Amino acid sequence: MHDDLIARAKAWLAEDPDPETRDELARLLEAVNAENTGNPENAENTEELTARFAGTLQFGTAGLRGELGAGPMRMNRSVVIRAAAGLAAYLKKNGTAHGDGDAGLVVIGYDARHKSADFARDTAAVMTGAGLRAAVLPRPLPTPVLAFAIRHLGAVAGVEVTASHNPPRDNGYKVYLGDGSQIVPPADAGIAAEIDAIRSLHDVPRPDSGWETLDDSVLEAYLARTDAVLAPGSPRTARTVYTAMHGVGKDTLVAAFARAGFPAPELVLEQAEPDPDFPTVAFPNPEEPGAMDLAFARARATDPDLVVANDPDADRCAVAVKDGADWRMLRGDEVGALLAAHLVSRGATGTFAESIVSSSLLGRIAEKAGLPYEETLTGFKWIARVEGLRYGYEEALGYCVDPGGVRDKDGITAALLITELASRLKQEGRTLLDLLDDLAVEHGLHATDQLSVRVQDLSLIADAMRRLREQPPTALAGLPVTRAEDLTRGTDRLPPTDGLRYTLDGARVIVRPSGTEPKLKCYLEVVVPVGTHAGLPAARAEATELLASIKRDLSAAAGI
């Protein structure tokens, strides 16, 4: 086994086109050799090499994603070249690569993370070498600009090099097909099979030129489209503090706000420019503790109407409001309901959709408005495919408010729409919190929370899922479980997925492994009826207590 590991590592090393990862792997092999000849007390280098060659990165909720480094279980140029070659082979084999006798176009975008520009260039070279046309966005831009460009340019596929809100050491590779949506089964398995069929990188032609680098006309077309999410003549007075979270959102968002006629956002300067090391945050995700601290400090100094944040690739949008004396983040479910209510008030028609882990409040809003409503599996690759979609969201700060332009979550247009809503409410002397209160009185208080456990050892997640399957809870927080579903079997409305759903009297719990991070995620919702605005404080206290009790009981049941 050890000899086989060394042989595979040496074979990988011989093909690696990147001097940095070649040196890294060579040093690791030397250290492994020293461990095995010197018989040291531990074998941490051997364990590290084993982990890097334990398999290959697989397509998850958002394509490939992993830690940067050498080896098939890491993100590197070798892995990206293989992924690009597999995608090219899949496109040609499935007849989607050619239209009107011309080679199909693959459009490629990238963020400002370490190696993103290299991975984008490698993808363009592979596509060109495979006889396809390739076009690369002019510089690091938000993921929604790439999703828009696919359909705008009539491409057969798109690739976005990004790890979204993952830690600085990660990168990733999102794949879209020509409909502008991320891949779903069976395309992911088809591409993976083509990747597996590549024997050697030497078999993959990679010319030095032949692809197009796009100019700003695609970005201009995207920005022109952002105007369409706003109602003509709507108030545009709300003042914002904005953070790009060290990502690529600032220039595009500021340009969109200027076009719309909103006041220029107050920037969180420490986080305004792209920085792949994300120096001011532990995790560059607005949901993580501490990530919004600098934005809140700026808000205390400037007293805006709301705080808006994008994640590093700007496909997500976070919103914070003044609540009493200080600022707090709204939950994704709260923003999701606010945007839905705003669209309903504007007379929107079409289907409202959300993932199964998002709040059931959206369904109540849609039903009251007489609009179609759909639930999907987690991920915008599913939400974007809902027929007749007008609005889709999921609790992880993802909102699709212009499916005709971007069939994916879009943190730029979501920011515009929530700022329009805040402006309208401001004109009425009200706030986003006032509208949330109205929705609670109208539909019941829908309170959500999450129990999220990050692990080093992925087997802990599998153990927790197995434990819950073998001994499902019969009650949580004293509420009887009226229905327990193992979602690996699928339902009449959903394809199979690794998850568990518990329906309780007045509550709902879903447990699933994250598709993008080493986390077990448990999504909790309680619904407390409330008759009047005066009853809201008591309803909130009851909801908070219920959620805390469900968390405790679920944690015990799962052994986490």
Side-chain angles (χ1 to χ4, degrees), residues 360-369 373 442-444 446 527:
S360 58
L361 177 55
L362 183 70
R364 306 269 181 104
I365 291 170
E367 183 182 20
K368 180 90 182 273
Y373 164 76
E442 188 174 1
H443 302 288
H446 289 63
V527 183

Side-chain angles (χ1 to χ4, degrees), residues 493-507:
R493 309 283 307 209
L494 298 169
T497 188
D498 186 8
L500 300 164
R501 177 163 60 182
Y502 304 113
T503 305
L504 301 91
D505 188 13

Side-chain angles (χ1 to χ4, degrees), residues 214-240:
L214 296 165
D215 60 20
D216 276 354
S217 59
V218 169
L219 176 61
E220 282 301 315
Y222 167 82
L223 285 168
R225 177 90 200 184
T226 62
D227 298 349
V229 306
L230 303 173
S234 62
R236 311 276 167 94
T237 58
R239 293 170 48 252
T240 55

Side-chain angles (χ1 to χ4, degrees), residues 317 332 335-336 339 380 391-393 397-401 408-410 414:
C317 177
V335 177
L339 291 174
F380 263 83
Y391 168 64
Y393 98 92
L397 311 183
Y399 314 94
C400 175
V401 301
D408 198 5
K409 54 187 178 290
D410 182 347

Side-chain angles (χ1 to χ4, degrees), residues 288-356:
E288 293 283 350
M292 294 289 286
D293 287 356
L294 288 170
F296 291 163
R298 190 85 185 118
R300 291 183 199 108
T302 58
D303 196 30
D305 297 298
L306 70 165
V307 174
V308 173
N310 286 137
D311 66 339
D313 69 326
D315 63 350
R316 297 169 194 245
C317 177
V319 180
V321 295
K322 198 165 190 182
D323 189 2
D326 210 354
W327 290 81
R328 79 164 174 95
M329 273 269 292
L330 294 178
R331 291 190 169 277
D333 285 318
E334 292 177 309
V335 177
L338 287 168
L339 291 174
H342 183 43
L343 288 169
V344 166
S345 75
R346 281 179 29 185
T349 58
T351 302
F352 280 26
E354 66 180 339
S355 63
I356 57 170

Side-chain angles (χ1 to χ4, degrees), residues 379-391:
F380 263 83
K381 61 184 182 180
W382 300 108
I383 294 171
R385 284 182 158 72
V386 167
E387 198 171 329
L389 181 69
R390 173 60 186 88
Y391 168 64

Side-chain angles (χ1 to χ4, degrees), residues 211-278:
W211 57 89
E212 179 185 3
T213 299
L214 296 165
D215 60 20
D216 276 354
S217 59
V218 169
L219 176 61
E220 282 301 315
Y222 167 82
L223 285 168
R225 177 90 200 184
T226 62
D227 298 349
V229 306
L230 303 173
S234 62
R236 311 276 167 94
T237 58
R239 293 170 48 252
T240 55
V241 158
Y242 171 71
T243 175
M245 207 64 69
H246 298 297
V248 299
K250 182 200 70 174
D251 290 350
T252 305
L253 181 131
V254 168
F257 270 55
R259 288 179 68 106
F262 288 113
E266 287 275 354
L267 301 179
V268 179
L269 294 174
E270 302 94 326
Q271 299 174 333
E273 299 303 327
D275 187 331
D277 294 318
F278 305 102

Side-chain angles (χ1 to χ4, degrees), residues 12 52-59 64 72-74 195-196:
W12 186 274
R52 289 173 181 237
F53 284 84
T56 57
L57 285 181
Q58 298 297 310
F59 284 104
L64 291 170
M73 287 295 287
R74 298 287 184 267
I195 295 169
D196 290 343

